[in-house]
Amino acid sequence: MRRGTPERYAYAADLWPKNQLWKMQGEPARYAPDAVVQPGTEAEIIAICAAVAERSVPLIPYGAGSGVCGGTVPIRGGVIMDVRRLRNIGPIDPLDMTVTVDAGVIGMHLEETLAERGYTLGHFPSSILCSTVGGWVAARSAGQFSSKYGKIEDMVVGVRVVLPDGRVVETHESQPHDLTALYVGSEGTLGTIVSATLRVHPAPETQVFRGFRFRTLDDAVRGIRLLMQSGKEPCLVRLYDPVDTLLHRSKDPAASFKDSTESPSFLHGLLDSALGRGAKKAGIALALGNPSLLNRLANTVAAECLLIVGFEGATSVVDRDAPAAWRLLEDAGGVDGGEGPGRQWLEKRYAVSFKQSAIYAAGAFVDTLEVGCTWSRLLPVYHAVRAALAPHALIMAHMSHAYREGCSIYFTFAAHRRDPKALERHYDRVIEEALTAVIREGGSIAHHHGVGLAKRDHMAREHGAGLRLLYAAKDALDPFALMNPGKVLPDRAVTQ
Amino acid sequence: MSARTPKSGPPAARPDRSTEPDARDYTEDQPILDTLEQALDSRLGTGRAGSGRCFVPRSVEELSTFVATADEFGGKVTAGPPRPGLLAVDLAALAGVAEHRNGRPGNSGRHQGVDPISQLVTIDYGVTPAALDAILEGQGLELPALWFSDPNAPIGRAVACGEGGPLVAGLEAVLPDGAVFHTPLAPRRASGPSPEVFFLGRRHRFGFLTAITLRVRERQPVSWFRREDVATDLLDLARLRLLAATRDRGVALLRGAGDRASLYVAIVAGDAVEGFVPAAAPTLPPANGTRGSWSTLRESFRRADDVTLTAVGPFDRHGGFMRGPSVGAQSIDLDAIAARLDPRGTFAFAGDAAGGVP
């Protein structure tokens, strides 16, 4: 156990932008834990559960702190339990094609280990270098190849969980009373995930990518819908809206599209494009000072959309499906742009937001919002969120994580205020208006970032009466509400 | 049946108690109802519901009132035939293709009936696979074959018993206090755990399942092929086909007897499959409830006389697990959660082994 100030500060924040906004107001650790523990065994976790229960101290399971929704922020103090010493990767069951992995294993370590054995999990979140298996399961993570391999909930066969009372439960989807789906997405509020059994796949023999340009977003959305409903299984589907496409093209007139919307270079790229590198900090205020104008300008100039599609797997299957997919997309109005965009995306695929501080230091914020929609609600949600945020923030989006019945929209937005407190209020307003638009138009508030604190107060509108099922589970499994308090479920007083 | 007497009469319309489980909004100008039977007669019509009778709801709203009244007056409900001391309901009477309840597309209301763009359909509990397929045919869509063991039984019952899980994209249910609950409709979510976990295969332990949103697909002609061989060899063959990216419409192992079995596959394009012969579309035997991983399936094949692996295919990309009905098993944690959700035990008998599922 560690109680020192450095540890307490280090574990006070994840990558939720509100932590940055609080730092700008002189609060580097608005909510610090009272202590940090790093158990190395399940037995130690059980002992920790007993100790905190005896003292009625909150306990917050912690992976690598890469969450962007405040899911590990210790708002009521307590003990943060870092599980990264749990890092065993079990043998692969070649018949069932599964592997059991400890919660603390870093994603890339798992993928590299599987690759050495001739397998892949197929889960490649952009945070794969700084996120854990336990965190993936707890927050219902999605990887960049989810169109082929599914989200983490599609991969989890079972989990092993230490409940707040110290009992250990091991779930398996073949059990008639299986509760795997209850623990997946519970974000540490019901217990501590110590390991997960995951489906694996043969390592791909080949991988191909292709870029396509579409004249309109509607055409492009139709194209990817038809692709997903054709029965082919692309691993990657990323469709950039006109503004996002424009940003990339302006950075590279030769149309070497680079995926920066999930990277710290998003706003830098914007300013590099508009102002040149020398005026970056001062330019942030200028660029974002009038988002309505900037959005109108961008919409006027922006024209086409970029789509990147990839296939991987057995060579015979890829050779069969990829050309057919290219033809389908061309028939839908796409213009083949070759392999370049996909290959360049691949090079930058893990460039996540480690270095946001320059943007925040300039008095601005940048954040993302990932929502899920059926195909019939995709464009209404997209347009509604853009309309809601256009007066308040520069906004762009890409569609990714496509499935047969729908797709995720990944919005990126940025705004500026001179006063840090005003910036936080503005941030709250932007999130509120965006999520209100999502729910009103029939989308789901979260596709793969989880709920944490960021979306907690929208859960009642997301689930309605169904929230009571989740309260019942919380009350039954964690009757003293010690597990990661304040996360996922809104305070009942608020919902009333 | 013993029945509690409430302190005063019920409200004319039920308040939204979705987040306020113990609230009551009594009004003084309502008639005082002394018994459960009186309350049911008053709210639903004389003689429509009561102990020893089977209530036939005309709508989800009526079912909500029925359950809420039972909950308020201490009644116990069951989704089954009439039984002494219990309030039975015929969920199969709800048998339409759902429409937007409130005219809004948002997730707060019931989901669209047939959504051909998203290839989804929302149906009431009592719609059968055969009836649904007739509806979908007009839209150029189809329900994937082999997911439900009985084409003439309510899909809601099959889902409540554990069939068709990967096809289910959303659902509607009436909770033990009468509140109506819809899952948010999205291809995938990360907004906490999936509430579906409380309904798929749970036999109404946490509420009455009333509508289901199913994944459907474009209607395309398929050709069936069959191969007869040693059961375990066929199991491995099925596993390998599923692990590879195939466009098979469905894969079924049927009638494994001793060490022999037949493997059926369906191919969209109609191309011949090496080692298989053309065959008629198979029908499923009554689902036997066995579930398990590939390794447990192999053991099952070695031991069992008749094992069926149903309908793994495009909607179940990862395959590998038999989808059979649940056996109504309980667990400590499920019981504890149910007790919190339903403190009066209104649904204590809704899905027990004796009550079954209608």
Side-chain angles (χ1 to χ4, degrees):
Chain A
M1 176 179 293
R2 298 167 186 233
R3 293 171 178 266
T5 299
E7 288 84 5
R8 293 178 57 232
Y9 272 46
Y11 285 89
D14 57 9
L15 294 181
W16 186 30
K18 290 271 276 195
N19 291 299
Q20 293 278 0
L21 296 173
W22 293 334
K23 285 179 187 173
M24 292 166 66
Q25 297 171 46
E27 295 183 89
R30 177 174 284 193
Y31 301 108
D34 298 306
V36 176
V37 293
Q38 296 170 317
T41 64
E42 183 178 281
E44 288 180 355
I45 291 176
I46 294 169
I48 291 166
C49 286
V52 299
E54 186 179 329
R55 295 163 179 79
S56 294
V57 173
L59 181 64
I60 301 108
Y62 187 100
S66 63
V68 293
C69 290
T72 60
V73 175
I75 58 172
R76 293 175 195 164
V79 176
I80 279 194
M81 181 161 60
D82 180 345
V83 299
R84 277 175 292 181
R85 288 179 60 211
L86 302 172
R87 51 192 176 204
N88 182 58
I89 300 173
I92 289 170
D93 181 330
L95 180 60
D96 289 343
M97 299 279 282
T98 58
V99 62
T100 299
V101 187
D102 278 358
V105 172
I106 294 290
M108 186 56 90
H109 180 207
L110 172 60
E111 193 57 39
E112 288 174 348
T113 302
L114 292 176
E116 290 170 3
R117 302 178 191 175
Y119 293 88
T120 181
L121 179 62
H123 194 67
F124 303 96
S126 56
S127 62
I128 192 169
L129 298 167
C130 59
S131 57
T132 60
V133 169
W136 293 349
V137 176
R140 296 183 73 170
S141 163
Q144 293 158 342
F145 289 176
S146 58
S147 292
K148 177 178 176 66
Y149 299 104
K151 281 184 67 191
I152 196 72
E153 58 259 43
D154 299 308
M155 304 171 184
V156 176
V157 174
V159 290
R160 190 172 172 91
V161 180
V162 176
L163 296 181
D165 62 6
R167 279 189 299 134
V168 178
V169 294
E170 189 161 359
T171 71
H172 194 285
E173 65 176 16
S174 65
Q175 297 167 347
H177 48 74
D178 175 42
L179 283 176
T180 302
L182 180 62
Y183 296 110
V184 175
S186 60
E187 301 189 27
T189 62
L190 300 179
T192 303
I193 296 169
V194 294
S195 67
T197 300
L198 306 167
R199 293 185 177 88
V200 296
H201 307 263
E205 297 169 359
T206 190
Q207 195 177 54
V208 296
F209 295 94
R210 192 66 62 92
F212 290 87
R213 293 196 183 84
F214 284 84
R215 289 183 60 193
T216 69
L217 186 65
D218 289 21
D219 285 348
V221 167
R222 179 172 170 274
I224 59 175
R225 175 173 66 81
L226 293 175
L227 174 61
M228 296 311 300
Q229 292 175 347
S230 71
K232 301 169 188 62
E233 289 192 336
C235 59
L236 177 72
V237 175
R238 290 178 83 86
L239 169 62
Y240 299 88
D241 79 354
V243 178
D244 208 344
T245 302
L246 173 71
L247 175 64
H248 291 94
R249 292 202 66 183
S250 66
K251 291 174 66 179
D252 187 344
S256 69
F257 297 95
K258 296 176 182 174
D259 182 55
S260 63
T261 55
E262 288 183 354
S263 80
S265 64
F266 154 69
L267 200 54
H268 298 282
L270 172 73
L271 295 169
D272 289 346
S273 305
L275 304 170
R277 293 181 184 278
K280 192 176 294 179
K281 183 172 178 178
I284 287 176
L286 180 65
L288 299 177
N290 191 336
S292 290
L293 180 64
L294 191 60
N295 282 314
R296 281 202 300 273
L297 179 64
N299 290 335
T300 302
V301 177
E304 60 184 12
C305 301
L306 170 68
L307 169 66
I308 301 173
V309 179
F311 281 83
E312 74 168 28
T315 302
S316 60
V317 175
V318 173
D319 287 350
R320 179 192 68 191
D321 285 353
W326 310 152
R327 286 194 298 275
L328 184 154
L329 291 169
E330 287 179 326
D331 289 345
V335 176
D336 191 339
E339 291 188 8
R343 291 291 169 195
Q344 287 159 6
W345 170 83
L346 203 58
E347 290 174 12
K348 303 286 185 182
R349 63 189 297 195
Y350 302 134
V352 293
S353 305
F354 288 115
K355 300 173 182 175
Q356 298 170 323
S357 55
I359 297 166
Y360 288 88
F365 68 75
V366 58
D367 196 9
T368 59
L369 183 68
E370 29 62 73
V371 303
C373 315
T374 61
W375 290 115
S376 59
R377 303 312 307 161
L378 189 78
L379 288 171
V381 169
Y382 168 78
H383 290 301
V385 172
R386 282 185 54 81
L389 296 198
H392 310 301
L394 173 67
I395 181 167
M396 64 187 70
H398 69 260
M399 283 84 170
S400 55
H401 309 289
Y403 312 95
R404 271 183 173 267
E405 66 272 33
C407 190
S408 166
I409 311 175
Y410 198 95
F411 294 101
T412 303
F413 46 89
H416 174 269
R417 287 291 184 275
R418 294 191 183 281
D419 173 57
K421 288 189 183 300
L423 186 66
E424 184 184 358
R425 287 195 298 273
H426 191 63
Y427 174 84
D428 291 341
R429 179 180 181 181
V430 165
I431 296 293
E432 170 68 26
E433 298 212 4
L435 291 177
T436 297
V438 169
I439 292 169
R440 186 184 67 236
E441 294 299 327
S444 172
I445 61 173
H447 176 268
H448 60 271
H449 285 175
V451 178
L453 292 169
K455 297 175 181 175
R456 177 191 63 173
D457 292 336
H458 297 270
M459 284 286 281
R461 288 192 289 172
E462 169 92 349
H463 289 285
L467 208 56
R468 297 184 48 214
L469 292 154
L470 302 182
Y471 281 131
K474 176 71 173 175
D475 292 344
L477 298 176
D478 182 24
F480 301 108
L482 296 180
M483 294 304 300
N484 204 8
K487 313 298 165 43
V488 181
L489 294 173
D491 291 339
R492 271 166 257 215
V494 173
T495 64
Q496 291 169 10
Chain B
M1 176 189 301
S2 62
R4 279 187 301 115
T5 300
K7 293 176 181 174
S8 66
R14 289 194 57 75
D16 177 8
R17 302 190 311 172
S18 62
T19 55
E20 198 174 353
D22 298 317
R24 292 290 185 273
D25 182 21
Y26 298 122
T27 53
E28 293 182 355
D29 57 347
Q30 295 295 315
I32 294 177
L33 303 172
D34 291 327
T35 67
L36 172 61
E37 301 278 345
Q38 260 189 335
L40 290 169
D41 284 350
S42 171
R43 296 173 186 176
L44 296 170
T46 302
R48 290 190 64 203
S51 176
R53 277 169 288 181
C54 188
F55 173 57
V56 180
R58 300 187 185 109
S59 67
V60 174
E61 288 76 13
E62 275 200 351
L63 180 63
S64 167
T65 300
F66 169 81
V67 172
T69 303
D71 186 51
E72 188 175 353
F73 286 83
K76 310 292 183 189
V77 300
T78 182
R83 292 168 59 194
L86 296 180
L87 299 171
V89 60
D90 178 11
L91 295 174
L94 299 170
V97 177
E99 300 294 341
H100 289 307
R101 169 172 297 153
N102 54 13
R104 294 190 297 112
N107 267 334
S108 56
R110 176 175 271 198
H111 306 310
Q112 187 174 337
V114 179
D115 178 356
I117 300 296
S118 308
Q119 297 193 348
L120 295 169
V121 59
T122 300
I123 53 167
D124 283 342
Y125 180 95
V127 174
T128 66
L132 177 58
D133 204 50
I135 294 168
L136 294 174
E137 188 173 10
Q139 306 265 353
L141 299 170
E142 69 177 358
L143 184 68
L146 300 177
W147 281 97
F148 299 108
S149 57
D150 185 348
N152 297 307
I155 289 175
R157 180 173 71 184
V159 171
C161 290
E163 290 189 14
L167 289 189
V168 177
L171 54 82
E172 175 190 79
V174 175
L175 299 180
D177 74 340
V180 179
F181 151 63
H182 304 86
T183 55
L185 193 54
R188 298 288 192 282
R189 302 190 302 266
S191 53
S194 289
E196 288 92 333
V197 71
F198 296 108
F199 297 96
L200 305 183
R202 302 298 186 208
R203 295 175 177 249
H204 305 300
R205 183 68 186 88
F206 296 89
F208 285 138
L209 190 60
T210 53
I212 306 100
T213 301
L214 294 169
R215 298 177 171 98
V216 295
R217 63 186 176 198
E218 187 180 349
R219 202 175 195 90
Q220 291 177 297
V222 299
S223 302
W224 283 96
F225 295 88
R226 186 184 75 240
R227 177 167 165 173
E228 295 179 349
D229 213 330
V230 176
T232 49
D233 291 346
L234 289 180
L235 193 63
D236 283 341
L237 183 60
R239 184 175 71 89
L240 293 173
R241 288 189 69 83
L242 288 163
L243 291 175
T246 70
R247 278 175 287 174
D248 296 349
R249 305 305 299 271
V251 177
L253 280 167
L254 295 177
R255 303 295 183 188
D259 64 349
R260 311 293 294 186
S262 297
L263 172 63
Y264 287 76
V265 297
I267 307 295
V268 176
D271 297 333
V273 184
E274 187 178 351
F276 285 69
V277 296
T283 56
L284 288 180
N288 54 21
T290 306
R291 298 160 65 99
S293 63
W294 289 108
S295 51
T296 56
L297 285 178
R298 190 155 70 175
E299 287 305 308
S300 298
F301 260 77
R302 286 175 176 157
R303 292 195 309 267
D305 293 330
D306 188 348
V307 176
T308 305
L309 171 62
T310 60
V312 281
F315 289 92
D316 191 14
R317 76 181 69 231
H318 307 292
F321 293 86
M322 181 176 286
R323 306 289 182 184
S326 67
V327 293
Q330 301 293 299
S331 77
I332 294 172
D333 295 326
L334 274 175
D335 289 344
I337 296 168
R340 296 282 183 164
L341 181 73
D342 181 15
R344 298 187 185 93
T346 304
F347 271 65
F349 301 93
D352 67 356
V357 179

